[in-house]
Amino acid sequence: MVSSRHLIGVLDRPGNERDALAETIASDRFAVATAEHFAELPTGIAMLVAHARAVPSQEWAALAARLPTLVVSDSMLDSDLHKAVDAGLVDYITDPLIHGDLLRRMIDKAIENHRLAEAHVRDRERLEELNERLETHLAMLRLDQQAGGHIQRKLLPPCPQWIGGVECDYWLAPSLYLSGDFLDYQRFNDRYSAFYFADVSGHGASSAFVTVLLKYLCNRWLTQWDGEAPEALPAHWLASLNQELLDTGIGKHATLFVGIIDHREHYLHYSLGAQMPPAMLIVDGKLSRIAGQGMPVGLFPQMEYPRLGCALPQNFRLWLCSDGILECLSGNTLEGRLKELEELVQEAGDIAALRERLALEDSSQEEADQDSSRIELPDDVTIMTLSGFADDTA
């Protein structure tokens, strides 16, 4: 297939020299149109070949801005050539009739460079347009995420909160705007209160949606509970939630600790699903890990979860942390980080002191939403404490 020929415009004074220059350029690749002035050339010119003597010095810049332009001259000492170069024309050749092959090669190269330059400009304009659209979409997504984070925080319980002499305190920091960590603490009646601490796999919008489902389901199940067999309720919740997550098909699982506090008997009924790090109970300054093991919720069908319990003395503090806190520790092994966490918890006494030791920011999430310079955490970090029984009438 024969490629189309480029039309080359030759600017020079009429005469034999112009005709010879046009003949030198003409080939199977180039057609030639000649004129004394640019306005006399036909449309569709791909490139100009202009003799230095044919263009006034003040017109060179405007000419080169219209089309790629090659200057020809009979001598390197031609003052008109120097004026063209001074005006910014750097592509030139002397004795073009002698160097015809070189002239045609230079024309080829100039046309190709011009084509590439135009393609570059188009690509840059397209990229700028795409970047602008991307920035707009990112801004909209950021606003949506911030709004979602605000709604998610509204679903959390008051902090701190007292129920039946037990104080619930917590601190939750999403890695960006939405969190896969969630918790709740609610009164059932004068005798029982219920709480759960959840860490959904991953973080961001999809994990946050699971926490909304968790809030809805646990509220529904607590409303349906008749107050009997508190030892069975946490395990039943986990088994039911396990099936609910599998039925959704969203590919999310979670680790949970679910507890029922018997304020009359000072007893904790609980069950857990792969809670990591393990819950920690401090009594009289001594720390112990809450016993028990269970599979993550939402991975395997027809799972059964353990029914566990422990006595709660008059003065205790139960600590629950999401696994994101392990990213803030310096240990080289999991067990090393767990021991480091236990030492920090034992020394800290409360959440504020623990955060200070871990150098975790003290700003609220609302403030963090407005601060684009905040350090992004590698994972959601949540800390929850239940402390009692300071005042059984509360």
Side-chain angles (χ1 to χ4, degrees):
M1 179 179 179
V2 179
S3 60
S4 60
R5 301 166 71 194
H6 295 291
L7 180 59
I8 309 301
V10 173
L11 292 182
D12 197 2
R13 298 167 185 169
N16 294 334
E17 291 185 4
R18 187 178 73 178
D19 295 340
L21 178 60
E23 185 178 347
T24 301
I25 295 172
S27 67
D28 57 350
R29 301 192 305 277
F30 306 127
V32 179
T34 60
E36 186 174 2
H37 305 288
F38 179 81
E40 299 170 358
L41 289 171
T43 59
I45 298 294
M47 181 178 173
L48 291 176
V49 176
H51 201 288
R53 63 177 173 242
V55 180
S57 59
Q58 68 272 17
E59 295 181 12
W60 279 115
L63 194 65
R66 295 178 177 179
L67 287 170
T69 302
L70 175 66
V71 184
V72 296
S73 176
D74 297 328
S75 171
M76 288 286 292
L77 302 178
D78 189 343
S79 61
D80 291 324
L81 174 61
H82 295 169
K83 293 175 183 178
V85 172
D86 291 341
L89 279 294
V90 295
D91 289 333
Y92 64 88
I93 184 172
T94 58
D95 296 324
L97 302 182
I98 298 175
H99 303 103
D101 185 61
L102 177 60
L103 173 61
R104 288 187 292 274
R105 288 175 181 269
M106 291 182 69
I107 293 173
D108 261 333
K109 192 65 176 178
I111 291 174
E112 176 65 13
N113 288 342
H114 182 67
R115 184 190 67 80
L116 292 175
E118 287 185 328
H120 176 72
V121 170
R122 289 194 300 270
D123 290 343
R124 184 175 61 186
E125 291 174 348
R126 176 61 175 163
L127 283 175
E128 289 174 353
E129 179 186 352
L130 290 175
N131 284 335
E132 183 177 351
R133 291 169 57 188
L134 179 60
E135 288 293 336
T136 300
H137 290 158
L138 286 176
M140 294 174 61
L141 178 60
R142 187 179 300 111
L143 291 174
D144 287 346
Q145 293 263 315
Q146 290 174 352
H150 180 72
I151 293 172
Q152 189 179 34
R153 291 190 295 275
K154 291 294 184 182
L155 298 177
L156 291 167
C159 180
Q161 178 182 201
W162 288 86
I163 297 178
V166 174
E167 180 192 22
C168 173
D169 191 14
Y170 64 87
W171 182 76
L172 186 151
S175 61
L176 193 54
Y177 298 112
L178 294 170
S179 176
D181 294 352
F182 200 74
L183 57 89
D184 202 1
Y185 179 47
Q186 297 186 44
R187 179 193 298 272
F188 175 72
N189 57 24
D190 291 340
R191 179 173 180 179
Y192 297 115
S193 62
F195 71 91
Y196 58 85
F197 186 89
D199 183 355
V200 181
S201 60
H203 50 267
S206 60
S207 298
F209 293 151
V210 175
T211 67
V212 176
L213 175 64
L214 176 64
K215 172 78 173 181
Y216 164 75
L217 292 174
C218 290
N219 283 351
R220 187 182 74 186
W221 293 332
L222 189 61
T223 302
Q224 294 173 346
W225 184 39
D226 60 5
E228 300 295 326
E231 69 279 0
L233 186 62
H236 173 69
W237 276 15
L238 291 180
S240 299
L241 180 61
N242 181 69
Q243 193 58 48
E244 289 280 355
L245 288 180
L246 289 172
D247 290 343
T248 63
I250 59 177
K252 288 291 183 179
H253 64 276
T255 63
L256 277 100
F257 188 103
V258 179
I260 301 293
I261 297 177
D262 187 333
H263 295 263
R264 181 189 302 170
E265 301 296 331
H266 289 195
Y267 195 86
L268 172 64
H269 302 280
Y270 68 93
S271 186
L272 48 82
Q275 171 63 34
M276 180 57 65
M280 297 163 283
L281 183 65
I282 294 183
V283 178
D284 296 330
K286 297 181 179 180
L287 183 146
S288 59
R289 296 182 185 180
I290 295 291
Q293 294 181 344
M295 294 296 292
V297 175
L299 279 182
F300 306 105
Q302 298 179 345
M303 288 298 303
E304 293 185 1
Y305 292 87
R307 299 183 181 186
L308 303 167
C310 67
L312 297 175
Q314 182 66 31
N315 294 296
F316 74 91
R317 177 161 289 161
L318 178 66
W319 287 79
L320 291 158
C321 303
S322 64
D323 61 3
I325 202 169
L326 299 176
E327 301 291 337
C328 304
L329 302 173
S330 59
N332 295 324
T333 65
L334 174 59
E335 189 59 32
R337 294 189 181 191
L338 291 177
K339 288 183 178 179
E340 181 182 353
L341 176 61
E342 290 171 357
E343 292 173 359
L344 291 173
V345 165
Q346 201 159 8
E347 296 170 359
D350 58 26
I351 293 177
L354 178 60
R355 289 205 339 263
E356 182 178 353
R357 284 167 169 76
L358 292 173
L360 294 171
E361 293 179 349
D362 192 23
S363 60
S364 67
Q365 185 59 33
E366 287 84 354
E367 294 171 343
D369 286 348
Q370 307 302 322
D371 182 9
S372 59
S373 65
R374 69 184 286 262
I375 298 175
E376 183 177 339
L377 296 170
D379 195 3
D380 305 325
V381 178
T382 304
I383 308 169
M384 178 183 184
T385 61
L386 294 167
S387 308
F389 294 90
D391 180 4
D392 282 344
T393 64

